[in-house]
């Protein structure tokens, strides 16, 4: 710079001061972000006291067979293991960002040989030096110049603006985000296994019902066959009853296939190959929990892992904006070398061979800062995107809880109605059979009544399954299952 004309020196100094001042102003400028919509203070259809998400999943699910399956899944599930590895990567990134604030020191050695041309500054200078009276014979520079070096090299960027410290904060936020991502996987895993388990119990009960119906239908087929032989019924009635039995058997096959598929889905979540799933199908008819507590919507912010994950991502993007701003600042770098250097190996390990240097440099972008501006724009857009994702996760969580609360109330009413319907149709089977035996009802009425009764009882099982589903979905929506 000392060789530049005065006016260029002035331009460079003024430009450096301009960068420094505009950079400081840039850091202090607050970000104009969209305003978050506050969550409602309460759910319209739930009590404020207590929160079911605070209940450990072992206590929320009372079936010991189910809890044993969940325990196995938590140990062996592949998604859980992947989530743990992501946590390890996040922890390593925090350590990496922490290391950026410290000096880098490396050791090494080198050896080589040079020969300067005789008609060069180095060649002539070395030649003249050899005739100096100030050097000994051992210090004369050979024509073929060896070079032996061993020592330490260091570089350190002094974090005068907090850029590196902010990078560590961003890495820490993303690490915490991976932890919440793991919790989100655990929440979904616990819920998915519970949903599949109760679906399996529902199909088991449905299979028992169908087999019971097939037995009764076979008895009715035998009766109608006897009546045909006695001349009280015709072949058409026999075929209708046979078709009814065949239809029920086809349903039995379909349900058996669904049971196998659900078992395999559970085995997959448990990280093992196909094998029978232990279950207690009698637990399907046990009473449901009497009271479900949803608490207040604000508790979703501390219970739902996806909401907390989105919050940490927002924190990380905010730090990235600061880092992008700090890129406009001057950077202060200090480099140094300390070691031994000699062109004669026998003199390498001597005090006279000690060599060192230390350099401090301040660099700042002056012209063509379009890449830095683009990075800043990208960081700001990512921050706004993270803010919208955070808003969406809160909104989604609220609606999930609200929908399940309404569904629980409606399914309770629907179950009472379906229970009454199934009772009426089940009792009417005996009535239809008695009327048919006395000739006051046709065989078609008997078949239709039996079909309606079977369909009604299957629908009742489905409603009970949906009740279990709604309780499990509510537990997941509140953020339970990962603690």
């Amino acid at each position: 710079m000392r060789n530049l004309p005065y006016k260029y020196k002035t331009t460079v100094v003024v430009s450096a001061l301009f960068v420094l001042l505009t950079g400081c102003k840039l850091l202090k400028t607050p970000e104009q972000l969209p305003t978050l919509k506050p969550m409602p203070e309460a759910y319209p259809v739930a009590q404020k006291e207590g929160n079911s998400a605070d209940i450990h999943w072992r206590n929320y699910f009372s079936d010991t067979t189910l809890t044993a399956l969940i325990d196995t899944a938590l140990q062996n599930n592949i998604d859980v293991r992947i989530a743990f590895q992501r946590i390890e990567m996040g922890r390593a990134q925090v350590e990496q960002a922490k290391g950026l604030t410290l000096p880098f020191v490396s050791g090494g050695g080198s050896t080589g040989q040079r020969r300067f041309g005789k008609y060069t500054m180095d060649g002539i200078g070395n030649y003249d030096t050899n005739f100096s009276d100030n050097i000994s014979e051992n210090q004369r520079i050979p024509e073929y110049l060896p070079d032996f070096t061993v020592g330490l090299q260091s570089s350190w960027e002094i974090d005068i603006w907090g850029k590196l410290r902010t990078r560590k904060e961003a890495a820490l936020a993303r690490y915490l985000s991976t932890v919440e991502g793991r919790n989100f996987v655990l929440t979904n895993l616990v819920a998915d296994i519970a949903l599949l388990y109760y679906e399996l119990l529902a199909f088991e009960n449905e299979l028992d019902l169908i087999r019971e119906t097939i037995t009764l239908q076979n008895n009715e087929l035998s009766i109608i066959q006897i009546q045909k032989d006695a001349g009280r019924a015709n072949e058409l009635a026999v075929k209708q009853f046979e078709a009814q039995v065949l239809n029920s058997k086809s349903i039995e096959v379909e349900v058996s296939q669904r049971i196998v598929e659900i078992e395999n889905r559970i085995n997959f979540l448990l990280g093992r190959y196909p094998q029978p799933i232990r279950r207690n199908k009698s637990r399907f008819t046990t009473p449901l929990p009497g009271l479900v507590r949803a608490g207040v919507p604000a508790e979703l912010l501390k219970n739902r892992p996806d909401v907390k994950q989105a919050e940490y991502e927002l924190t990380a993007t905010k730090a990235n904006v600061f880092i992008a701003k700090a890129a406009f600042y001057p950077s202060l770098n200090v480099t140094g070398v300390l070691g031994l250097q000699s062109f004669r190996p026998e003199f390498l390990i001597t005090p006279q061979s000690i060599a060192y240097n230390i350099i401090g440099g301040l660099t700042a972008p002056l012209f063509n800062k379009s890449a830095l501006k683009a990075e800043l724009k990208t960081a700001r857009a990512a921050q706004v995107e993270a803010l919208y994702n955070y808003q969406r996760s809160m909104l989604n969580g609220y609606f999930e809880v609200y929908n399940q609360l309404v569904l629980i109330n409606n399914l309770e009413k629907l179950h009472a109605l379906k229970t009454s319907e199934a009772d009426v149709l089940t009792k009417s089977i005996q009535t239809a059979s008695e009327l048919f035996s006395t000739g006051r009802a046709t065989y078609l009425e008997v078949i239709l009544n039996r079909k309606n009764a079977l369909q009604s009882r299957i629908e009742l099982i489905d409603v009970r399954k949906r009740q279990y589903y709604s309780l499990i979905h509510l537990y997941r929506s509140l953020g339970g299952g990962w603690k």
Side-chain angles (χ1 to χ4, degrees):
M1 182 174 173
R2 60 188 177 186
N3 295 327
L4 291 176
Y6 177 78
K7 61 178 182 179
Y8 293 117
K9 291 181 180 180
T10 305
T11 301
V12 172
V13 172
V14 171
S15 299
L17 291 175
F18 177 75
V19 169
L20 183 61
L21 294 176
T22 54
C24 294
K25 182 179 180 182
L26 188 64
L27 265 188
K28 296 179 181 179
T29 304
E31 296 295 327
Q32 298 296 327
L33 298 176
T35 304
L36 288 177
K37 298 179 181 179
M39 299 186 72
E41 295 183 358
Y43 298 106
V45 289
Q47 298 183 6
K48 294 184 179 180
E49 296 79 11
N51 192 314
S52 295
D54 296 330
I55 303 174
H56 194 274
W57 59 266
R58 294 182 184 276
N59 299 324
Y60 191 82
F61 302 109
S62 58
D63 191 333
T64 55
T65 305
L66 173 58
T67 56
L69 292 174
I70 295 175
D71 269 327
T72 303
L74 295 178
Q75 295 295 326
N76 301 330
N77 182 261
I78 297 176
D79 290 333
V80 173
R81 292 184 175 183
I82 292 175
F84 273 110
Q85 295 308 310
R86 288 174 179 169
I87 290 176
E88 291 301 318
M89 288 189 291
R91 184 181 290 115
Q93 290 172 357
V94 172
E95 294 296 327
Q96 180 185 20
K98 181 180 179 181
L100 293 177
T101 62
L102 303 175
F104 288 89
V105 179
S106 59
S110 64
T111 181
Q113 181 170 288
R114 292 174 291 176
R115 180 186 184 280
F116 297 107
K118 292 183 177 181
Y119 301 105
T120 64
M121 182 181 298
D122 294 307
I124 295 174
N126 292 336
Y127 179 81
D128 289 341
T129 301
N130 287 336
F131 291 99
S132 174
D133 296 332
N134 296 326
I135 62 175
S136 65
E137 185 64 28
N138 292 330
Q139 293 175 320
R140 297 190 182 278
I141 302 172
E143 180 181 1
Y144 297 96
L145 181 63
D147 186 17
F148 302 95
T149 304
V150 61
L152 301 175
Q153 295 181 350
S154 175
S155 62
W156 182 25
E157 180 180 353
I158 300 177
D159 193 18
I160 55 179
W161 310 112
K163 177 176 61 176
L164 300 180
R165 184 173 62 254
T166 306
R167 194 182 300 275
K168 182 176 69 173
E169 294 173 358
L172 178 60
R174 288 204 160 85
Y175 162 71
L176 296 175
S177 176
T178 60
V179 174
E180 295 303 330
R182 187 279 309 266
N183 295 338
F184 188 63
V185 171
L186 295 180
T187 296
N188 287 320
L189 179 62
V190 170
D192 288 343
I193 293 178
L195 291 171
L196 290 172
Y197 180 76
Y198 283 108
E199 186 177 7
L200 184 61
L201 296 187
F203 277 117
E204 283 285 351
N205 282 269
E206 186 175 333
L207 186 61
D208 290 343
L209 175 60
I210 292 172
R211 288 172 175 171
E212 176 187 345
T213 301
I214 290 174
T215 301
L216 296 176
Q217 288 174 339
N218 282 326
N219 293 336
E220 292 173 347
L221 178 60
S222 299
I223 293 174
I224 200 67
Q225 184 68 48
I226 294 173
Q227 290 181 346
K228 175 188 175 271
D229 295 339
R232 295 180 55 188
N234 53 32
E235 183 67 18
L236 179 59
V238 175
K239 295 301 181 184
Q240 290 286 350
F241 276 92
E242 286 181 354
Q244 187 182 40
V245 173
L246 293 174
N247 180 70
S248 298
K249 288 183 177 180
S250 66
I251 297 176
E252 179 187 13
V253 173
E254 291 179 357
V255 173
S256 298
Q257 175 62 28
R258 292 295 304 275
I259 289 175
V260 173
E261 292 175 356
I262 294 172
E263 283 184 324
N264 288 338
R265 288 167 62 188
I266 294 176
N267 282 318
F268 176 77
L269 293 179
L270 268 59
R272 65 191 188 188
Y273 288 100
Q275 57 181 279
I277 300 296
R278 291 181 59 251
R279 63 259 195 183
N280 184 4
K281 58 185 177 182
S282 62
R283 296 299 299 267
F284 186 73
T285 57
T286 55
L288 300 172
L291 181 61
V292 177
R293 299 185 181 275
V296 296
E299 292 180 341
L300 295 178
L301 303 180
K302 68 180 181 69
N303 287 331
R304 280 187 63 117
D306 58 332
V307 175
K308 297 172 69 176
Q309 185 180 18
E311 182 180 358
Y312 285 126
E313 286 292 337
L314 179 59
T315 302
T317 56
K318 180 180 179 181
N320 288 339
V321 171
F322 182 89
I323 295 171
K325 289 181 178 180
F328 290 88
Y329 289 13
S331 297
L332 179 57
N333 294 277
V334 178
T335 59
V337 176
L338 174 63
L340 301 171
Q341 186 178 20
S342 175
F343 59 77
R344 292 182 180 271
E346 60 269 23
F347 298 124
L348 183 62
I349 311 299
T350 60
Q352 290 80 7
S353 296
I354 295 177
Y356 68 89
N357 67 32
I358 183 170
I359 301 174
L362 189 66
T363 60
L366 297 179
F367 308 106
N368 193 15
K369 296 181 291 185
S370 57
L372 297 179
K373 293 179 181 178
E375 290 180 3
L376 179 57
K377 290 180 180 179
T378 301
R380 284 173 171 168
Q383 183 183 17
V384 175
E385 179 187 7
L387 182 64
Y388 285 136
N389 284 333
Y390 180 56
Q391 177 72 45
R392 180 176 60 183
S393 62
M394 291 193 300
L395 193 63
N396 180 64
Y398 179 85
F399 275 111
E400 285 183 357
V401 174
Y402 180 74
N403 289 338
Q404 295 305 319
L405 290 173
V406 175
L407 181 60
I408 288 173
N409 293 334
N410 289 332
L411 285 177
E412 185 177 356
K413 300 175 184 177
L414 182 60
H415 185 268
L417 294 173
K418 284 296 181 181
T419 301
S420 300
E421 178 186 353
D423 291 341
V424 170
L425 290 174
T426 301
K427 292 177 181 178
S428 67
I429 293 176
Q430 182 65 30
T431 302
S433 299
E434 293 175 354
L435 292 175
F436 176 72
S437 61
T438 58
R440 289 181 292 175
T442 66
Y443 67 87
L444 291 177
E445 291 175 320
V446 176
I447 293 174
L448 180 61
N449 190 268
R450 171 70 67 184
K451 180 179 179 180
N452 291 338
L454 175 61
Q455 183 65 30
S456 177
R457 294 177 67 182
I458 290 177
E459 290 176 356
L460 181 60
I461 292 175
D462 183 69
V463 172
R464 170 65 72 168
K465 179 183 70 175
R466 291 173 62 189
Q467 285 184 297
Y468 279 112
Y469 277 14
S470 61
L471 292 173
I472 297 169
H473 281 307
L474 177 62
Y475 185 63
R476 174 165 57 184
S477 300
L478 291 172
W482 60 269
K483 298 180 181 179

